[in-house]
Amino acid sequence: MRRPGIILLALMVAALLALTAVAGTALVPAPVSAEEQTPRRMTAETLVMLYRVADPRISPNGRELVFVLRSTDREADTGHTELWHLRLDRRNHALRRLTAHLESSANPRWSADGRSIYFISARSGSAQIWVLPVDGSESRLITSLPVPVAALAVSPAGNALAFSADVFPDCPNLLCTTARLKKMREARETGLTYDRLIMRFWDKWRDGRLQQLFTLPLDENGLAAGEPVNVSAPLAGDVPAKPFGSSEAFAFSADGSKIFFALKVQDENESWSLNSDIYVANTDGSGAPENLTTANQATDKQPIISPNGKRLAWLATEGPQRWAAENRIKIRDLKTGKVRILASRWDRSPQKIIFSSDGRSILATADHQGTRALWRVPTNGGRPTILAKGGWINEVSASGGRVVFTRSDLANPTELFELTNKATETGGLLTARELPIKARRSVRRLTALNLERMADVKTGAFEQFRFSGADGDTVHAFVVRPTSYRKGGKYPLVLMIHGGPHSSMGDQFHYRWNAQVLAGAGYGVLMIDFHGSTGYGQKFVESIMRDRGGKTLTDQKLGLAAALARYDWIDGERVCAIGGSFGGYMVNWIAGAWPDRFRCLVNHDGMFDNRMKYFTSDYIGYLEEGFGGTYFDNPAGFESFNPSTMVHKWQTPMLVIHGGRDYRVPETQGIGAFTALQRKGIPGRFLYFPDENHWVQRPANSLQWHREVIGWLDRWLKDPDQDQE
């Protein structure tokens, strides 16, 4: 039975987008007149209900696009995804909804002839593969397997599919897995035994299953023509890697006879090893997989095949224990086996890569000075150049001579854009709510799906600035003004510290740590890309090795001082520091190492005791690199920046937040911090989510998280006489 909430939501989305058939503004909802608009502030409710665009895929001929649109079902307290389609070769590229069902549809992949789209949906009772003709015919079920499937890919030759499924590796068939799971559920004994790490990973205890890679032959009509073949079965590892892996982990050869995939072997070194490899296997399952990257004892991932099928490229790091190592693009001639590194002197770390349509270059996203830019890396050895920058470019698709990407910034949620050589194609699509992008070619905005929901939302103005940080190095930061800003006023400030630490609190619209929600609550927001952040060169990234609380803290101090000197609207007496993951660790460290600066602190899933974090986390290799070895070999390295050793100096009120299913930073870390506050008599509050992991993802929990965080800020920072909304 379909939930009423889903049906109503589907009708609302369809009605909204039915208004978009105006020539030249096909994907921009009808604007609301100025008289009808009443500016309102950004709230957590607004954030939770925004549409989220993802996984754009251009058809083989370059004329059409399919993508995933996520909406929020408040009744079911979850996100819901459907597939949408648009024409790229028409000025009036009308948007069309392809799927509408109680169960989500995701992972769209074009058939080789471009006439159909394969996708994954649980509408048959479990996640299975379906195919949908683009001409509007009904979708057809491709698989009816006894186990759910995930991470779909289609052979360029149209002769096979690839997907992953969780199975017991010693089972001879899929029915064996379902029978064993049933037996485990019905057993009165519930104990699990382990002989080595990793026992639990991210947010789940392991039960012996592996996510293995299967291929499925297709007939001339694109339907299943046989039984699935497990092509990664001889190897003990997940394809794709959990928990964030996708079909980026594998790729077919041009003729569909082989499949390349990335896999990290689950052995006794898994918790502190980086070594993953690129394998190649026959699609029909004959023979054993061959390891193509045995020489590299570090990470090899994201295999991609050139359009002509002659070259394999992938991302690789160097050094067996360099967890902060930059990604390098390697390319292999599949005939000769010769391997080259592209742009070996490029001081950026690509995150995602695809081949351009002509195969002459690789398109890569990489962090760049507080943004994530789209780069072109020539395969002939030329220098990388930026195709588009400004904001946060995350997902990219290239086919038929076209390039489409997703992009957001600090004030605008993710939408779809296209690179084009024709400036006239820009038309009027950027007039409603413009997202400025600097590009070597023209950029055409394809969608404005959140325009109506954001049209009357007043966002805080933001800008990036630089200051002299630790060791005199240039450090970048963003500042966002409160939406209630008036010239001459004074406003409280939130110092938001990013996680990682090897990431960037850049120019992006974050769906959890969203600066505009805080700005809407009356706060200025300061976000510093401290030493260790990405996008400023590898030396900057690795500068905090064995110095976790040194330069990072100095940058916070100097950055806050620089912001106070630069922006006279900031009330320096009313400042709170907040952060999650590494940012939460920094909040705990600040509580003892900078105890007299802030009126309040917010620590989300932050490390409190380095020693016990080392002995209880699912992954410990990154701790060994960051602190200089194992805890038992170098306890001084861990204790030198251990927040728990500084509790005697704590005095600042702190809100502690933790997820019960966070196995990266176990919940006892949050409990420890709250215990310290209580024992010292410092005002504190503990917010516990038993069903969340390192992140808060359920819509209702997100609203509670924001309510608690903003309530804590209001308690310690708001001045009723000064802060007028």
Side-chain angles (χ1 to χ4, degrees), residues 631-649:
Y631 184 87
F632 42 85
D633 287 329
N634 183 27
F638 284 77
E639 298 300 335
S640 59
F641 296 111
N642 190 346
S644 67
T645 65
M646 302 286 282
V647 169
H648 62 285
K649 294 185 177 182

Side-chain angles (χ1 to χ4, degrees), residues 99-247:
T99 61
H101 198 275
L102 165 66
E103 297 295 339
S104 289
S105 300
N107 207 154
R109 297 296 182 266
W110 288 94
S111 61
D113 60 12
R115 296 178 180 178
S116 302
I117 297 169
Y118 293 92
F119 65 97
I120 295 175
S121 177
R123 60 183 65 180
S124 62
S126 70
Q128 298 294 322
I129 302 172
W130 295 72
V131 65
L132 176 67
V134 184
D135 63 10
S137 303
E138 288 295 318
S139 56
R140 299 179 64 178
L141 182 64
I142 296 295
T143 62
S144 296
L145 304 176
V147 296
V149 306
L152 173 66
V154 181
S155 162
N159 54 0
L161 301 177
F163 61 89
S164 64
D166 279 349
V167 297
F168 291 105
D170 61 333
C171 272
N173 53 54
L174 298 179
L175 285 174
C176 167
T177 289
T178 58
R180 187 177 300 179
L181 288 173
K182 182 176 183 292
K183 184 178 180 180
M184 291 170 64
R185 288 192 300 268
E186 295 174 348
R188 299 181 67 180
E189 298 176 347
T190 60
L192 299 173
T193 58
Y194 301 88
D195 295 311
R196 67 169 188 247
L197 297 176
I198 298 174
M199 300 179 296
R200 58 183 190 177
F201 190 73
W202 189 249
D203 60 3
K204 292 180 175 63
W205 285 85
R206 287 181 170 174
D207 62 5
R209 285 179 291 174
L210 295 175
Q211 186 165 256
Q212 296 193 313
L213 181 63
F214 292 79
T215 57
L216 179 68
L218 298 177
D219 62 21
E220 59 184 12
N221 297 314
L223 302 178
E227 295 298 316
V229 178
N230 189 334
V231 294
S232 66
L235 304 169
D238 290 325
V239 185
K242 295 180 179 180
F244 310 118
S246 68
S247 57

